[in-house]
Amino acid sequence: MRNLTDTDLTEAVIASFNGSERFKEIADSLVRHLHAFASEVQLTEEEWFAGIDFLTRTGHITDDKRQEFILLSDVLGLSMLVVGINNRRPPEATESTVFGPFFVEGSPAFENGDDLGAGAPGEPCFMEGRVLDLNGEPVPDALIDVWQADEDGFYDVQYADLDQPRGRGHLRSDADGRFWFWSVKPVAYPIPADGPVGELLAAGARGPMRPAHVHFKIEAEGFQTLITHVFADGDEYLDSDAVFGVRSNLIGHFEHHEPGAAPDGSEMDVPFWTMRYDMVLAP
Ligand code: BEZ
Ligand code: FE
């Protein structure tokens, strides 16, 4: 292990790892790609220090409310790559997309027809759909978790002074697989850009915006869990999502209505929106 050339060094580091087969597979590949990267760009020592400083600051800003490493993975496209590798499904099944950092375990329980917005600022939006299997048969009693940003582009957890959930909750599909609830019309919003990931985006002359969307996580016995979004049609950021999460068939139609009767029979005295989207689960 002396006088190693660049290539010998890579092989020596790989040979130094033992452990399980899977650990070695991952460690070997990581070292090979990491060394190849540094060699390819002829990394300077100053750049190496800048990289260490970047990762150190990414760690320091991360706590139980903010996960800068997930955000980094998201903007590097790693999250969507991992989603793709792990969610190969039949074409009829609804596609997955990024989980994002704003899911909260233990969201409030709602019944169909309730208002998940729970006071979130925004234009009222009635959302409905069915949970179906690959043959179009209803999936009853599916657990449907929903979370979204308000009209100012913030999730409830981003408000330091808000101690109530807002724009999030869970409900269950009925015997026909149907679900329906009120919330607010989602808007495009920037991912948190006031930390190291924001600096990375600025250095690359990239924007922080995500197209308007509503997050869904759907679990049902005998089916793969689906983590996805419904994106709003017509959004100006559909082709420049900061985290590369858009799939064409996840774009839903949000329809604007003047005051009047809503699909659930309620009488609206303000303009409102409706959106219908079916979720198809793979076994
Ligand atoms: C989100 O959609 O909530 C999200 C996803 C990735 C990074 C930041 C936010
Ligand atoms: Fe989101």
Side-chain angles (χ1 to χ4, degrees), residues 27-80:
D28 291 4
S29 180
L30 175 67
V31 169
R32 210 176 285 290
H33 285 275
L34 198 59
H35 286 209
F37 153 71
S39 294
E40 185 180 313
V41 301
Q42 289 291 288
L43 198 67
T44 68
E45 286 174 306
E46 198 182 14
E47 289 160 347
W48 178 85
F49 271 118
I52 297 292
D53 176 57
F54 177 83
L55 290 174
T56 303
R57 288 184 297 110
T58 300
H60 284 165
I61 206 173
T62 295
D63 60 21
D64 57 346
K65 288 236 166 69
R66 175 162 184 162
Q67 234 304 352
E68 196 77 358
F69 279 109
I70 292 187
L71 208 55
L72 180 58
S73 162
D74 293 339
V75 303
L76 292 178
L78 178 62
S79 304
M80 264 318 269

Side-chain angles (χ1 to χ4, degrees), residues 155 189 210 213 215:
Y155 287 80
Y189 66 84
R210 294 217 66 206
H213 60 273
H215 294 254

Side-chain angles (χ1 to χ4, degrees), residues 188-205:
Y189 66 84
I191 63 168
D194 56 342
V197 169
E199 286 172 35
L200 177 70
L201 293 178

Side-chain angles (χ1 to χ4, degrees), residues 122-277:
E123 296 176 275
C125 184
F126 180 79
M127 304 192 208
E128 64 179 322
R130 292 180 80 195
V131 183
L132 302 170
D133 68 13
L134 292 179
N135 301 317
E137 296 297 324
V139 177
D141 206 34
L143 178 61
I144 304 164
D145 243 294
V146 182
W147 66 106
Q148 68 162 102
D150 64 23
E151 72 173 357
D152 297 316
F154 293 115
Y155 287 80
D156 51 3
V157 290
Q158 293 179 284
Y159 290 94
D161 55 350
L162 188 69
D163 50 10
Q164 296 280 348
R166 215 164 68 170
R168 75 173 67 242
H170 64 271
L171 67 166
R172 287 190 178 267
S173 56
D174 74 4
D176 285 327
R178 293 184 190 284
F179 62 89
W180 64 100
F181 59 89
W182 284 91
S183 189
V184 294
K185 165 87 172 28
V187 299
Y189 66 84
I191 63 168
D194 56 342
V197 169
E199 286 172 35
L200 177 70
L201 293 178
R206 277 175 55 179
M209 295 303 289
R210 294 217 66 206
H213 60 273
V214 179
H215 294 254
F216 286 86
K217 174 168 175 262
I218 306 191
E219 293 167 276
E221 184 121 10
F223 295 91
Q224 295 176 40
T225 296
L226 172 65
I227 293 171
T228 195
H229 309 351
V230 177
F231 292 92
D233 55 343
D235 191 285
E236 67 175 292
Y237 299 104
L238 283 170
D239 291 308
S240 57
D241 182 4
V243 303
F244 308 98
V246 180
R247 322 286 303 174
S248 299
N249 53 16
L250 295 180
I251 300 173
H253 177 51
F254 284 74
E255 196 165 341
H256 188 255
H257 303 268
E258 292 307 322
D264 64 348
S266 55
E267 205 45 49
M268 298 297 290
D269 54 10
V270 291
F272 63 101
W273 296 80
T274 54
M275 189 280 288
R276 177 191 295 233
Y277 194 93

